[in-house]
Amino acid sequence: MSHHSADNERISVISPVYNEQDNLRSFVAEVLGALDALNLPKGYELILVNDGSTDDSAMILDVCVREHPGVVTAIHLARNFGMESAIMAGLEESRGNAVIILDSDGQDDPAAFQAFVEKWREGYDVVYAVRTSRKEGAVQRFLFWSFYRVIGWLANFDLPADASNFALMDQNVAEALRSMPERNRFLRGLRAWVGFRQCGVPVARRARQKGKTRLGLRGQWKLAMNAIFAFSYVPLFVFRIAGMLTLLLSAGLILWALYCKLIAGLELRAWASQLISTSFFGGINLLGIGVVGEYVARIHDEVKARPNFIVQRITRE
Ligand code: UDP
Ligand code: MG
């Protein structure tokens, strides 16, 4: 059963923008075309979040706002805060009964809106795109593949494999996400974590229209780390196990040394065993401190309680 009625359907589309000057015009035209085709009784809004672009994106966005009064809103952030924060900024501004999130580089196909809305009408609260094909290289595809398997094993909830940011979310879910102020966000994880009724629809991921990836491997790595450390304590557990195993090992070594010295009457060459054990335990310790430090740094981020983003100005007509 659906919790919204067809006569109050209004959709907010949110898209983060970072140096997309060559993609914006065709992107906005395509999205507005797809929204028109939905014939929503209460219409729609398109919220474009300029994530501190250094090219002409800001100017182009303001032109789009003027060309589509009452439909397009541009939020200009004070600097580049990252895609997840930009999406958060859009969510805070959105007022629709459902929100759709998609990239502004043309990789997410607005033709999927139709399928999203159909599932929403069936009563699903989250409808996410499942990538049926990827346009990235083999190395990146392998990294994505491993990431979803690792996080599936590590996380304390189910993260659907190959689910993308591209999704429709009911206002219930949008509200839940707005109420989660945590830093270092991983949207796909938080979205899965909130629950409600969720389903995926297959959508082919297109190639980026113009320019190179703005996120890059470094950005993807940061997201992967957020996913692991925000949703799992397995890294700490691994070091508890490693600690116990090395403790057992050193106990064995002590017994063996005592046996050599007291019973067999052998002379021990101290430097060799010492070198091995100090470097081994030193390494384990440093790794463990590193893992603990990762959690501590995240606690530090939360305690500072800085906002996820700063808005410079909002343009709407
Ligand atoms: N993006 C952003 N801030 C950033 C990096 C990217 O708002 O710091 C936007 C970007 O404009 C695009 C979306 O996030 O609309 C996805 O970025 P990108 O295409 O670089 O990611 P990829 O497709 O390579 O995973
Ligand atoms: Mg892209």
Side-chain angles (χ1 to χ4, degrees), residues 16 18 20 51 80 104-105 107 205 208 213-215 220:
Y18 181 51
E20 305 284 8
D51 188 15
N80 178 248
S104 58
D105 60 357
Q107 283 200 268
R205 187 139 159 97
R208 165 180 268 278
T213 167
R214 306 289 180 247
L215 217 54
Q220 299 282 5

Side-chain angles (χ1 to χ4, degrees), residues 84 87 91 101 165 177 185-192:
E84 306 273 322
I87 292 173
L91 269 177
I101 293 167
N165 271 348
L177 289 176
R185 301 170 80 84
F186 176 58
L187 179 69
R188 276 163 281 171
L190 296 171
R191 189 181 69 201

Side-chain angles (χ1 to χ4, degrees), residues 146-157 159 184-186 189 220-236 291 294-295 298:
S146 340
F147 167 72
Y148 280 105
R149 269 72 207 167
V150 169
I151 194 72
W153 175 65
L154 289 180
N156 39 22
F157 67 95
L159 187 72
N184 302 310
R185 301 170 80 84
F186 176 58
Q220 299 282 5
W221 175 258
K222 231 183 109 195
L223 279 181
M225 288 302 113
N226 286 347
I228 290 170
F229 286 98
F231 290 102
S232 164
Y233 295 114
V234 173
L236 289 175
V291 168
E294 195 63 49
Y295 287 98
R298 278 152 206 278

Side-chain angles (χ1 to χ4, degrees), residues 15-20 23-24 27 49-53 57 77 80-87 102-108 131 134 136 140 144 165 188 205-206 208 210 212-217 219-220 223:
S15 189
V17 176
Y18 181 51
N19 294 345
E20 305 284 8
N23 296 322
L24 278 176
F27 170 74
V49 187
N50 172 16
D51 188 15
S53 297
S57 293
L77 300 187
N80 178 248
F81 283 91
M83 173 185 64
E84 306 273 322
S85 299
I87 292 173
L102 82 168
D103 290 354
S104 58
D105 60 357
Q107 283 200 268
D108 295 328
R131 290 160 182 172
R134 281 189 179 278
E136 289 89 1
Q140 218 170 332
F144 277 120
N165 271 348
R188 276 163 281 171
R205 187 139 159 97
R206 303 188 296 194
R208 165 180 268 278
K210 296 265 168 54
K212 285 200 314 247
T213 167
R214 306 289 180 247
L215 217 54
L217 272 185
Q220 299 282 5
L223 279 181

